[in-house]
Amino acid sequence: MLKFLSYMASLALFSLIIVIIAITYAVSRINITLPDYHQLENYEPPVTTRLFAGDGQVMMEYAAEKRLFVPIEKIPDQVKLAFIAAEDKHFYQHAGLDYLGIIRAVLGNVKKMGTGKRPAGASTITQQVAKNFLLSSELSYTRKLKEAILARRINKAFTKDHVLELYLNEIYLGNRAYGVAAAAINYFGKALDELTLEEIAFLAALPKGPNNYNPKTKYDAAVARRNWVIDRMVEDGYVTDEEASAAKAKPLKVVERKSGFLKDTEYYSEEVRRTISRNFGDEALYQGGLIVRTTVDPRLQSIATKALRKGLIDYDRRHGWRGATANIAIDENYKDNLKQTKLDAGAESSWVKAVVLKVSKQTAEIETEDEKIGNIALKDLTWARHAEKGKNMGPVPTSVEQVLQKGDVIYVEPIKGDKNAFALRQVPNVEGGMAVMDPHTGKVLALVGGFSFAKSQFNRATQAYRQTGSSFKPFVYLTALEQGYSPTDLILDAPFVLDQGAGMPKWKPVNYSKKFYGLMTLRRGVELSKNLMTVRLAQDIGMDKIVEMSKRVGVNDNLPPFLSSSLGAADTRVINMVSAYCVIVNGGKKVPPYMIERIQDRHGRTIYKHEQTPCETCQAQKWENQEEPDFHVVREQVVDPLSAYQMTSILEGVATRGTGARLNGLHRHLAGKTGTTNETKDAWFVGFSPDLVAGVYVGFDEPESLGRAETGAQAALPIFYDFMDEALKGVPDSSFRIPAGIKLVRVNPQTGRPSSPGDATVIIEALKPDFEFDNRQRVIGNGDSAVVGSGQDGSSGLQIGGEY
């Protein structure tokens, strides 16, 4: 017997040695494959990049995972304690593994054997950090063994607070939220330090399975789990019974978080996003937690967006009703079918989808998607003439039945003052772009790339290259002014023919009116946008000089050196034109447009700053009675300031008595230039006040005529008008700044000569200091300039004005 017991003892010892060897071998093999946990020391999780407007409002966020990293010292104690109570009550006592918890889990899993239920774990917070950061979510004993080994090592290598910081910033809590800070915002719309006890407890209930406790779909389970967490906090002494009872009695209210971002900045934000991606890469953009401060002015952005949308809708209504794009049967399923019917994207926020239930001569009865019944009256459909080819339209409808049919699915807008009255709406198919800049700094204050970002993300202010038409002419005349020409010089407005060479047709440009007016002053050539005068002037000064001017001010670096380019035949972007007009109004200084003021990394370090002005005295750590820094930004002078002011004055004349005279209605000092391309495919207006420059373009993405009457003055100028009307409210009117040396002289605008007592019209002309009136006056006619003598009455002896 003794021999048998000795044998069994030897066998047991041998087996134990074999098991120990096997475990040692397994651990050593696992040890080889363990990831390096030291990477957790300087762990930087993917963090959300945020764009901020000029006034600090959040414009947009970009992230692979919606996460806001919060240092452990900034996380409220109650948040930490709630997660510890729910997930690992002995977190601050154990060495990475909770052995009592492991025993409880093993016993519990033995009871579950054969039931098909998922085995329970006993993972500590440290183990969860090991799994989430370093391992996969595979269900296996090998992974659990790796997790345990790593947890022990992590516990030795790092402080408890560092481990908890990693956990609370990494854990996925559902609702697209990684980490407690993002979850607080996504579920409750609050910062961490604003959360109540019941809200904190709910967040702490989520790690075990966010989908299992979704308050929208599993409210009772979510409340029960929240209350369980509160009970654990009471049990561990973190809250009192009274606090717990009050918290458990409250309903679980989560917010339907809207974007929370600044309205109407989608095009602007997307342009900034592309810039960051291009210069810093997608990893920095979507994971780097960058803080991007932009130059957008939210108020001006909103005004510009509304003005452009209104202008495009007004254009669209001038060209009639294109018809309903969908029709459904009015049967027992029509309400469901209405909800499922898709209409054109990009509707205004005040528009709603509706279906026509009945139609009569005077009204159409409609039902909106939210089941409101209303009517569209014939009197509100006078614009809805049938749109025909060539931008033509049918007659004004005399019956609603000529416009709408039963079952038509349409957009409607409530008419204020009558709860049952609606107006018919349609999304424009015309597009446009607008940019607004500060002419003294180059800040892009507003940017609108189209009617709706939901309809099209293509940015027509920064990505579309379109012919500029007459909006380019100021740079032809600015070139002439720099070359010594005067606003009082005379240019012949008469037929012009250019021989383009063998086998090429003769080029015969014409004025928009198809009429000719003889000799007119250089100023009037701009004010009335005369093509033939512009071509003659361009030929006289030479296209090479105009090409150089175009490059200097930033319109086009590669302007084709052809006379047609002087009429705006070359293409460029809206933002380029606005930037170039800044040079005119700011006294000739180049101010390249910029949208990003500063970029900081996740630690607050500045990694990009637009202004790089050197300032040796700006680096002082504290004030020690030294003089304040004295520095100013130096801008490149690219145009003579006197010539720039002369052009400003001429463009003010455009807004006063020229093609932009509609602006007189604003009773302000404004200036600008209309632009219309051949066949009216593009309509432009670029203009400015002394401190604000805005440019507008209107046209179709696939170029086609806007309609014979849709010039820059008709299609684009009203948008600029509406923008300036609202943007300048509360801003005192001021005149344009006059540089030293300019002489202001009273002249006859028809002759360009000094005014006489009998002149019907007199203007104040801006002349350079070396200009003197004498008996000679420059005339640009066929080919070369000529200087002609004047009679005793000051007349040139040539016909001035007069249609022929």
Side-chain angles (χ1 to χ4, degrees), residues 587-620:
K589 296 180 175 67
K590 191 167 186 178
V591 283
Y594 74 97
M595 303 173 70
I596 300 174
E597 196 80 72
R598 178 193 296 262
I599 301 177
Q600 295 168 285
D601 65 16
R602 67 173 72 208
H603 304 293
R605 294 187 294 257
T606 297
I607 59 175
Y608 168 82
K609 185 169 67 172
H610 175 74
E611 292 291 2
Q612 300 294 335
T613 306
C615 178
E616 295 180 2
T617 59
C618 294
Q619 307 304 318

Side-chain angles (χ1 to χ4, degrees), residues 10 52 75 95 177 204 217 223 345 380 384 418 543 549 585 616 683 747 764 783:
S10 300
F52 293 88
I75 298 176
T217 58
V223 171
D380 295 318
D418 188 340
M543 279 303 300
M549 172 64 77
V585 69
E616 295 180 2
V747 304
I764 302 297

Side-chain angles (χ1 to χ4, degrees), residues 53 56 159 172 204-205 266 291 391 404 472 475 579 652 696 709:
T159 66
Y172 179 64
E266 295 91 344
I291 301 166
K391 301 298 177 292
L404 297 170
F472 178 75
F475 303 103
S579 174
E652 190 173 12
V696 179

Side-chain angles (χ1 to χ4, degrees), residues 196-436:
T196 60
L197 173 58
E198 64 274 10
E199 291 168 343
I200 291 171
F202 170 70
L203 296 184
L206 293 171
K208 283 289 185 284
N211 291 334
N212 297 332
Y213 306 112
N214 185 330
K216 294 178 183 176
T217 58
K218 298 177 180 177
Y219 180 83
D220 291 341
V223 171
R225 181 68 180 177
R226 178 201 70 177
N227 292 347
W228 177 86
V229 173
I230 294 173
D231 289 338
R232 299 287 75 71
M233 295 180 75
V234 172
E235 182 181 300
D236 294 341
Y238 300 144
V239 296
T240 65
D241 289 328
E242 292 76 14
E243 290 171 330
S245 297
K248 289 194 289 185
K250 293 179 181 177
L252 177 55
K253 292 182 179 179
V254 295
V255 298
E256 185 64 46
R257 191 188 177 206
K258 297 179 181 177
S259 71
F261 304 134
L262 200 58
K263 281 184 63 180
D264 301 326
T265 59
E266 295 91 344
Y267 283 110
Y268 199 112
S269 298
E270 177 60 15
E271 187 66 26
V272 172
R273 186 200 66 80
R274 284 198 298 267
T275 301
I276 297 172
S277 177
R278 185 169 58 247
N279 290 282
F280 293 92
D282 283 347
E283 183 175 342
L285 173 64
Y286 292 106
Q287 300 182 32
L290 303 179
I291 301 166
V292 184
R293 305 188 186 280
T294 72
T295 62
V296 69
D297 182 313
R299 175 176 167 270
L300 296 182
Q301 180 66 43
S302 176
I303 294 169
T305 301
K306 289 174 182 174
L308 182 67
R309 286 178 181 167
K310 178 181 178 296
L312 297 180
I313 290 172
D314 288 347
Y315 167 87
D316 189 64
R317 286 166 67 90
R318 288 197 296 272
H319 294 275
W321 169 244
R322 297 189 301 276
T325 57
N327 186 281
I328 60 175
I330 305 300
D331 55 22
E332 66 274 9
N333 298 317
Y334 81 90
K335 292 184 180 183
D336 290 336
N337 292 336
L338 172 61
K339 290 178 180 177
Q340 294 170 11
T341 301
K342 302 292 184 185
L343 296 182
D344 293 336
E348 291 272 57
S349 59
S350 59
W351 299 1
V352 293
K353 190 166 58 172
V355 62
V356 178
L357 300 178
K358 293 183 204 173
V359 182
S360 66
K361 182 174 181 178
Q362 294 298 320
T363 63
E365 183 181 323
I366 63 160
E367 182 176 342
T368 65
E369 192 172 14
D370 55 359
E371 300 187 7
K372 291 181 181 176
I373 302 295
N375 297 286
I376 300 174
L378 176 62
K379 65 182 179 63
D380 295 318
L381 292 174
T382 54
W383 69 272
R385 300 161 66 183
H386 180 63
E388 298 176 350
K389 292 185 78 174
K391 301 298 177 292
N392 297 317
M393 291 184 292
V396 175
T398 57
S399 168
V400 176
E401 295 165 322
Q402 296 170 352
V403 180
L404 297 170
Q405 305 296 320
K406 182 178 179 180
D408 282 349
V409 180
I410 55 176
Y411 281 124
V412 296
E413 182 175 25
I415 296 176
K416 291 179 180 178
D418 188 340
K419 65 179 182 179
N420 295 320
F422 288 82
L424 178 65
R425 295 288 181 255
Q426 70 180 354
V427 176
N429 56 9
V430 71
E431 278 293 355
M434 185 173 186
V436 181

